[in-house]
Amino acid sequence: MATEKHEWSGWRTAAEQALYGTGGFFRRPEGPAGHFRTSVHASPLFARAVAELLRRVDEALGHPAELALVDLGAGRGELLTQVLALAPGLPHDLDRRLRPYAVERAERPAGLDRRIAWLDAPPEGCTGLLFANEWLDNVPVDIAETDADGVPRRVEVDLAAGDGTERLGDPVDGEDAAWLARWWPLAGAEPGLRAEIGHPREAAWAGAVRSLRAGLAVAVDYGHERAARPPFGTLTGFREGREVRPVPDGSCDLTAHVAMDACAAAAGPGAGLMTQREALRGLGLDARRPPLALAATDPAGYVRALGAAGEAAELTDPAGLGAFTWLHHPVELPHDVLRP
């Protein structure tokens, strides 16, 4: 009788390979946009808001000779492509001074604008705006779950099974246990409660902020804070627009919401948190319907304005994309550019 084979791994190691290894999800030819829709894909109004934020950063910095726009977790360069198309309309000759960087652990897409530098890590010493849209949720983390005695144990996944089968491994210790105690306490909790151990994300975000010489770093993601952690965690998969069971085989996205307060603290003083709804409204997005009188004087303009209002409403919907958290961290900026 054949012996059943198992290959147990912690989720951080398993997800790292499944997302970024050879044949990993983010290296697939269709790219992330083939499987899920972000704010960038929902409406060009999102790129307009980022362009407005870039303009404000440029103003606050006194119009430096070069202004970087670093897109961290760039997908296939969609956001940078849209902002570059808007750049000629920005003041103070910003189009000429703009230096766009796409940071992604995949091959450079064919046909991407040659002005965009394609990197696998943030460039060091830039001045400008670093923008990470739905990046932190794909920084792999380990998962803990309380056993029958309330002891947090590491969750392991069977790579050989290929179906996401899990078991509880050894008790969480060391740096992971210290992180749980500070940010997501589980010890002594009822059995079956889960936490995603977020210190790898903190380290990644702190490193991204440090890469800026001056400017603003922004991370946009579904997140939570200590007072309202999800009791059973948030790890899930996405494939072709549908939520699926998380299986670390490269066939689906593997994502978990972000402990945003922990990431904010890791990068040092000055960080702030706001909802996407608040941020986009502050950057000029208006979801109000156009006046009906416009339909009589300019029917085509009314239809365009009505469409834009609908797109703005989707981006700022508090039950949808508007619930994203914006973590913003200024570096050598004289004032808060996310407030009008």
Side-chain angles (χ1 to χ4, degrees):
M1 184 174 180
T3 302
E4 187 176 1
K5 292 184 178 180
H6 300 282
E7 185 182 350
W8 297 104
S9 169
W11 267 106
R12 182 182 178 187
T13 299
E16 176 69 26
Q17 180 61 31
L19 294 176
Y20 303 110
T22 303
F25 176 79
F26 282 107
R27 296 183 181 274
R28 293 167 63 104
E30 71 273 19
H35 295 271
F36 55 85
R37 186 167 174 262
T38 72
S39 298
V40 176
H41 310 115
S43 169
L45 293 178
F46 190 77
R48 288 186 179 276
V50 173
E52 167 61 14
L53 182 57
L54 183 68
R55 183 199 66 77
R56 294 185 188 182
V57 170
D58 182 53
E59 185 76 26
L61 291 170
H63 316 300
E66 289 191 358
L67 187 77
L69 175 55
V70 182
D71 185 4
L72 186 49
R76 295 301 180 266
E78 296 94 337
L79 177 61
L80 288 175
T81 298
Q82 293 178 48
V83 173
L84 280 173
L86 297 168
L90 296 174
H92 300 288
D93 202 20
L94 200 154
D95 183 33
R96 179 187 60 80
R97 295 182 288 112
L98 185 60
R99 297 294 179 267
Y101 298 89
V103 182
E104 185 59 83
R105 293 168 65 182
E107 295 301 315
R108 182 186 181 95
L112 187 68
D113 192 307
R114 60 181 179 78
R115 291 173 291 177
I116 299 174
W118 191 265
L119 308 172
D120 62 3
E124 294 292 334
C126 284
T127 296
L129 173 63
L130 181 146
F131 200 83
N133 185 56
E134 295 197 51
W135 170 65
L136 281 172
D137 66 299
N138 290 126
V139 174
V141 294
D142 275 319
I143 298 173
E145 180 179 321
T146 49
D147 64 14
D149 298 317
V151 175
R153 292 182 176 271
R154 197 174 311 279
V155 177
E156 298 178 339
V157 61
D158 188 355
L159 302 181
D163 60 3
T165 296
E166 295 178 335
R167 74 175 185 184
L168 296 187
D170 293 333
V172 175
D173 59 5
E175 182 181 16
D176 292 348
W179 188 90
L180 286 177
R182 180 181 181 188
W183 292 110
W184 201 330
L186 284 182
E190 63 184 86
L193 298 189
R194 283 193 168 203
E196 286 117 16
I197 304 171
H199 62 79
R201 293 170 172 177
E202 295 172 27
W205 181 243
V209 173
R210 285 195 303 269
S211 74
L212 282 178
R213 177 184 295 115
L216 181 69
V218 177
V220 183
D221 242 308
Y222 280 122
H224 45 72
E225 298 182 53
R226 178 167 172 156
R229 302 286 190 220
F232 303 106
T234 59
L235 177 67
T236 192
F238 279 93
R239 182 189 301 116
E240 297 176 353
R242 296 184 298 109
E243 188 170 355
V244 297
R245 183 176 184 179
V247 178
D249 61 0
S251 70
C252 66
D253 183 25
L254 298 171
T255 175
H257 296 187
V258 181
M260 285 296 207
D261 49 347
C263 289
L273 299 171
M274 62 174 59
T275 66
Q276 175 154 299
R277 182 180 178 87
E278 294 170 321
L280 293 184
R281 283 183 165 184
L283 290 168
L285 255 69
D286 188 353
R288 292 174 296 180
R289 295 170 62 93
L292 194 57
L294 184 64
T297 59
D298 183 4
Y302 176 78
V303 171
R304 288 193 300 271
L306 191 62
E311 292 176 9
E314 181 183 5
L315 289 171
T316 58
D317 181 0
L321 295 173
F324 273 109
T325 298
W326 281 43
L327 164 58
H328 50 103
H329 199 114
V331 179
E332 301 296 332
L333 273 184
H335 60 270
D336 185 355
V337 297
L338 266 171
R339 302 292 184 185

